Amino acid sequence: MSGSLSGFACPAPDAGGDKITLAHGEGGRLMRRLIQQTVLPRLGNEALNSLGDAAILQTANSRLAVSTDSYVVSPLFFPGGDIGKLAVFGTVNDLAVSGAKPLAISLAMIVEEGLPLETLERVLASVASAAAQVGVPIVTGDTKVVPRHAADSLFLNTTGIGEVFFPIPGPDGLCEGDEILVTGPVGRHGMAVMTCREGLEFNPAPTSDCAPLLDAVTALQQSGLPVRAMRDATRGGLAAVLHEWAQSSRLTMAVQEAQVPVTDEVRGACELLGLDPIHVANEGTMVVAVAPGAGEAAVKVLRRVPHCEGASRIGQAIMGGIAPVVVRRVFGPEIPLDEPLGAPLPRIC
Amino acid sequence: MKFLDEFRAPESCRRLLERIRAAASREWTIMEVCGGQTHGLLRYGIDQELGGCVRLVHGPGCPVCVTPLESIDFAITLARRDDTLLASFGDMLRVPGSRESLLQVRAATGNVRVVYSPLDAVTLAQKTPDKQIVFFAVGFETTTPATALAVQQASRLGLKNFSLLVSHVRVLPAMELLAGDPGNGINGFLAAGHVCTVGGFDTYEEFTARYKLPVVVTGFEPVDLLTGILECVEQLERHEATVANCYSRSARREGNRAALSLIDAIYEPCDRPWRGLGVVPMGGMRLRAEWAEWDAQRRFQQEMPPVAEPAECRSGEVLTGRIKPPDCECFATRCTPESPLGAPMVSAEGACAAYYRYALARRDPRTR
């Protein structure tokens, strides 16, 4: 038996780490720090510094939104979507939540040597069908082929340009009492890709929510309701958006767990893997903030939009909470909700 | 969702809370052994709700937290070799070794693979014949049967490129170490329901007889946790100390016989150092002599030299319930999930991680 039970210690590890790890790209705190400490000091300007989904550029007679995104999803095809559909809707959604209607998008492809032509054709067919669905042309593009192992089969980049038709204040303009909504069940995309990639056999399997949000944004605009902020809850999930909003607004985002919609498939998979759906990525679900009292009406408007039938009011912005984001579980006191650090890692037991 | 909602039902929770408050004539100190329970308690704020009746102290039942530094360093050494792939549960990746974590090694070498089951590592070995696949076998009795199965499977397939870095631990010897420490102040234990599902709880009967401390087999959902706490408090109020099963939907007295005989066929108990606790007599598992060829330590002919641990991290005191994470000067200052000093800050079941995630604001209330 070891002598005593006191005086145990752990080592002080190398605190910094001079390499980029996967966690730097996963939408959590590490990524935010990388952007703020490494990217912005070198490249920052007025449009970039806002770190919105899209940059807003003022021209002589209109406001343009520009957004870019790269897609490296593995596997290329997953339940509910594929990299092509994702690349179109992802960029269209970044424009849409900035209140912009897409005018045109570009498509750049980085292809690994050896990719079957048939795979590329399937992806392009999916790009074409997604672009047709939202009525946006692909107006320019680029193709690069790299040696085997220099990329993982196929990477896409899309850049979109749109015209702002629905100017909204954004997260800086959030006020006390504003109501927070989501447009549908959370965590579907992340769980669909994870279970597909890892060969976890759930029945039924979670499917991605990959879909355009333009109709939802248009419906909100036409309703005339006072929308304060919109954000698609991609990497880092709902929790990442709430943390960004808390930081921009200096308010606390207070959420009721019981009101956050989650499908049974996602909930089951998350329970098994020890993950919280609030931290898991979406690709067709956004968080919306509306002025106090407008929450119910906004939910009604959204539920009439295809794909947003599961919209729900999940909480509100409050002053002086105990933490930037707090969640009330089905029972018990309010608990702080941590900002995701990086991609969630499944637990042991 | 069936088998979930009923164990989170707000009404049941409130009723149980009231019964605990009514039953407790003083504040009892109860240790929940498993880190999964710690997270459940903090996630729902149960520890706050029970203030004054029950003081919950957090036990050593987090396999990631107690995996010795030497084992992590050895795993890192293997992952730095060109001819080796280290397969691990995801949870181990962020844990700091003495110089770096597996996550950092993965970024540098690409030789670390996250798997969901030890059998996936066997499949990886089949598919990657030009590499040695080492599975980092950590965990309590909950994961031991699966790694035993992996060895059997690899043997059946005649694989020459698969081995285990064994760091399995056993929960009861650690409880004995804690219970035998005169200064522990613990009045009762919540035993880990899933460990008992595999190992049974007949073995706890001798423990309660010797130490006169109630042991309640407890699950992980709020209703489970509160039911276990209520049973423990009621026993204490009656001056009783017995083994009670409050996780009967899963745990049986004799455990899972098939899993136990599988463990017994492949492994035998041994003394093992626990990170933070020191050597726990019979606190670990090693491969039996006839399975020794599957031992990565033997295959790679490397000793695991003891690594001296500097004094700043107090995870040993956290793991033995002597202090709570916020009592550590480094908590949330020099030690955070991005830059951890010790394993409890990064493991999904670590007590420091639970406090960081769910209770940071209690220590540092923000006023804005």
Side-chain angles (χ1 to χ4, degrees), chain A residues 130-192:
Chain A
Q133 190 183 333
V134 286
V136 62
I138 313 267
V139 294
T140 181
D142 178 51
T143 307
K144 296 280 191 301
V145 180
V146 297
R148 199 171 270 271
H149 303 309
D152 182 9
S153 65
L154 177 65
F155 296 160
L156 298 182
N157 171 281
T158 51
T159 299
I161 185 160
E163 195 164 23
V164 176
F165 70 102
F166 185 23
I168 52 169
D172 297 347
L174 284 173
C175 301
E176 185 179 8
D178 282 356
E179 300 185 33
I180 305 167
L181 286 52
V182 290
T183 56
V186 301
R188 290 176 53 198
H189 179 72
M191 292 318 292

Side-chain angles (χ1 to χ4, degrees), chain B residues 20 42 46 54 69 88 146 190-191 199 229 253 271-272 286 341:
Chain B
I20 295 166
L42 272 93
I46 291 172
V54 176
L69 196 52
S88 170
L190 305 183
I229 293 168
R253 183 173 180 278
D271 296 351
R272 183 172 294 281
R286 66 175 170 220
L341 290 176

Side-chain angles (χ1 to χ4, degrees), chain A residues 307-332:
Chain A
H307 183 73
C308 296
E309 297 85 355
S312 170
R313 180 189 177 283
I314 59 167
Q316 64 186 146
I318 59 171
M319 192 84 90
I322 55 165
V325 181
V326 296
V327 58
R328 194 178 285 282
R329 310 278 177 197
V330 289
F331 120 95

Side-chain angles (χ1 to χ4, degrees), chain A residues 53-54 67-69 71 89-99 232 234:
Chain A
D53 284 302
S67 182
T68 190
D69 221 324
Y71 300 85
F89 292 156
T91 291
V92 166
N93 288 348
D94 282 343
L95 294 174
V97 298
S98 306
D232 56 340
T234 55

Side-chain angles (χ1 to χ4, degrees), chain A:
Chain A
M1 180 174 291
S2 71
S4 84
L5 284 177
S6 57
F8 309 113
C10 281
D14 174 42
D18 55 359
K19 288 199 169 58
I20 300 294
T21 66
L22 285 172
H24 283 104
E26 288 159 352
R29 195 152 53 211
L30 285 175
M31 182 162 141
R32 186 154 57 78
R33 193 173 299 166
L34 181 74
I35 290 170
Q36 279 169 350
Q37 295 179 355
T38 309
V39 178
L40 290 186
R42 292 168 176 82
L43 305 178
N45 58 58
E46 198 185 333
L48 185 62
N49 291 352
S50 72
L51 297 179
D53 284 302
I56 304 296
L57 305 176
Q58 186 71 53
T59 66
N61 42 16
S62 68
R63 268 150 65 90
L64 292 179
V66 185
S67 182
T68 190
D69 221 324
S70 299
Y71 300 85
V72 298
V73 65
S74 167
L76 299 177
F77 302 88
F78 47 83
D82 59 75
I83 192 170
K85 189 172 160 184
L86 204 60
V88 174
F89 292 156
T91 291
V92 166
N93 288 348
D94 282 343
L95 294 174
V97 298
S98 306
K101 183 179 177 351
L103 299 172
I105 61 178
S106 72
L107 176 71
M109 304 186 287
I110 297 172
V111 189
E112 184 188 14
E113 172 187 32
L115 183 81
L117 185 60
E118 185 264 335
T119 305
L120 187 63
E121 286 169 349
R122 277 174 69 197
V123 170
L124 288 175
S126 178
V127 168
S129 129
Q133 190 183 333
V134 286
V136 62
I138 313 267
V139 294
T140 181
D142 178 51
T143 307
K144 296 280 191 301
V145 180
V146 297
R148 199 171 270 271
H149 303 309
D152 182 9
S153 65
L154 177 65
F155 296 160
L156 298 182
N157 171 281
T158 51
T159 299
I161 185 160
E163 195 164 23
V164 176
F165 70 102
F166 185 23
I168 52 169
D172 297 347
L174 284 173
C175 301
E176 185 179 8
D178 282 356
E179 300 185 33
I180 305 167
L181 286 52
V182 290
T183 56
V186 301
R188 290 176 53 198
H189 179 72
M191 292 318 292
V193 171
M194 182 188 276
T195 54
C196 179
R197 178 164 55 212
E198 306 299 343
L200 305 175
E201 287 167 9
F202 292 107
N203 188 14
T207 54
S208 172
D209 59 335
C210 183
L213 287 164
L214 190 58
D215 288 348
V217 172
T218 306
L220 286 171
Q221 186 253 343
Q222 287 170 351
S223 73
L225 288 167
V227 175
R228 303 260 211 227
M230 297 183 288
R231 183 96 163 152
D232 56 340
T234 55
R235 278 172 305 177
L238 173 59
V241 174
L242 295 173
H243 271 276
E244 279 175 25
W245 286 6
Q247 210 194 10
S248 311
S249 66
R250 315 280 303 152
L251 293 168
T252 286
M253 304 294 127
V255 171
Q256 312 276 332
E257 186 180 48
Q259 303 303 316
V260 178
V262 181
T263 63
D264 278 355
E265 298 92 274
V266 167
R267 194 165 164 212
C270 280
E271 289 291 341
L272 211 64
L273 297 170
L275 307 176
D276 191 338
I278 290 179
H279 285 124
V280 179
N282 308 280
E283 280 296 344
T285 303
M286 64 174 168
V287 193
V288 180
V290 297
E296 271 312 302
V299 166
K300 270 194 194 139
V301 168
L302 286 168
R303 284 189 180 166
R304 282 198 293 269
V305 178
H307 183 73
C308 296
E309 297 85 355
S312 170
R313 180 189 177 283
I314 59 167
Q316 64 186 146
I318 59 171
M319 192 84 90
I322 55 165
V325 181
V326 296
V327 58
R328 194 178 285 282
R329 310 278 177 197
V330 289
F331 120 95
E334 244 171 17
I335 300 287
L337 181 74
D338 191 26
E339 183 178 10
L341 188 61
L345 293 172
R347 68 175 167 203
I348 289 181
C349 60

